[in-house]
Amino acid sequence: MPLQGADTGVAGSSLASGRLKMLAILLVCVAPVVASYFTYYVIRPEGRRNFGELIDPQPPMPNAATVSLNGEPGTLRDLTGQWLLVSVASGACDAACTRRLYLQRQLRESLGKEKDRVDWVWLVDDDAPVDAQLRDGLQQARVLRVKHADLAAWLAPAAGHALADHLYLVDPKGMWMMRFPPGLEAATAAKAKSDLERLLRASVSWDKAGRESRP
């Protein structure tokens, strides 16, 4: 009986040691992410203000079903691994929607060599057909149909506005972390670009272009 008790003690010690090692590995994995966000959120020059509204807490991307314009099924989680500049609108896409899509493309292009770390995403929240002429200009965009209810459970507009009034920024882990003001125009797009550039600089230690290289 004493020998059996000793064996139990050794097993318990090994289990505790294993858990500590797993915790240490987890901390090593998340440390770069935490450090980059700490730099952006906390260690900031006095007087600097974000143009976009930081979201706290940051809602994680749901595993909602998606369908591409070509009818290919998928999920929102397939988009993780890149920064996402997201708009939401009906497939009918009125004049305001067209302007937002144009600004999304221009914002991404203005990032220069860093643009490959950011995906231009249009989430279509209904079954309305997308005009063929508009589709011709969306070759570089990720366009997916998603149920409006699924998007409304994740993203949210500012008070008094609709989901389609904003551009949303999602980090490579799938966390919605910023909402740009409604009515974004070319005159204010430079401020949105500054926010994007700061976030890309802060995350450069753990975020690289492309999904293939990520675990």
Side-chain angles (χ1 to χ4, degrees):
M1 292 299 292
L3 289 177
Q4 182 179 359
D7 289 344
T8 302
V10 171
S13 177
S14 298
L15 180 60
S17 177
R19 287 176 176 172
L20 287 174
K21 289 179 181 178
M22 288 182 64
L23 179 60
I25 292 171
L26 178 62
L27 289 174
V28 169
C29 292
V30 302
V33 181
V34 173
S36 65
Y37 279 5
F38 181 80
T39 299
Y40 186 80
Y41 286 108
V42 181
I43 308 176
R44 296 182 291 175
E46 286 298 322
R48 195 183 86 192
R49 300 186 59 142
N50 303 310
F51 176 66
E53 179 184 354
L54 293 168
I55 306 302
D56 184 26
Q58 298 172 358
M61 178 185 289
N63 199 32
T66 65
V67 180
S68 73
L69 294 185
N70 295 324
E72 297 175 359
T75 72
L76 274 179
R77 295 293 301 174
D78 295 336
L79 294 173
T80 58
Q82 289 276 82
W83 286 94
L84 308 176
L85 186 60
V86 178
S87 64
V88 179
S90 164
C93 198
D94 60 14
C97 163
T98 303
R99 285 196 300 272
R100 276 190 298 274
L101 291 174
Y102 172 77
L103 283 171
Q104 277 181 278
R105 182 177 71 84
Q106 293 301 98
L107 274 171
R108 182 176 180 273
E109 289 297 317
S110 72
L111 296 173
K113 65 180 182 179
E114 296 297 323
K115 72 178 185 179
D116 291 334
R117 294 171 60 194
V118 181
D119 276 0
W120 164 22
V121 179
W122 176 21
L123 300 179
V124 181
D125 64 351
D126 62 15
D127 295 325
V130 176
D131 183 82
Q133 186 174 357
L134 181 60
R135 290 178 65 159
D136 289 341
L138 295 169
Q139 300 303 313
Q140 298 179 34
R142 301 288 296 271
V143 185
L144 300 171
R145 293 190 189 275
V146 188
K147 290 182 179 180
H148 180 84
D150 290 334
L151 294 177
W154 175 41
L155 306 174
H161 291 276
L163 201 60
D165 291 343
H166 299 273
L167 292 182
Y168 305 88
L169 189 63
V170 179
D171 76 11
K173 305 298 182 184
M175 310 298 285
W176 169 38
M177 54 83 58
M178 183 173 282
R179 176 178 60 206
F180 291 109
L184 190 68
E185 299 289 348
T188 52
K191 297 178 181 179
K193 177 189 174 185
S194 294
D195 283 349
L196 283 168
E197 288 176 331
R198 286 199 296 268
L199 283 163
L200 291 173
R201 284 197 300 270
S203 61
V204 71
S205 65
W206 57 271
D207 172 66
K208 307 298 178 184
R211 293 183 173 83
E212 297 299 324
S213 62
R214 291 193 174 89

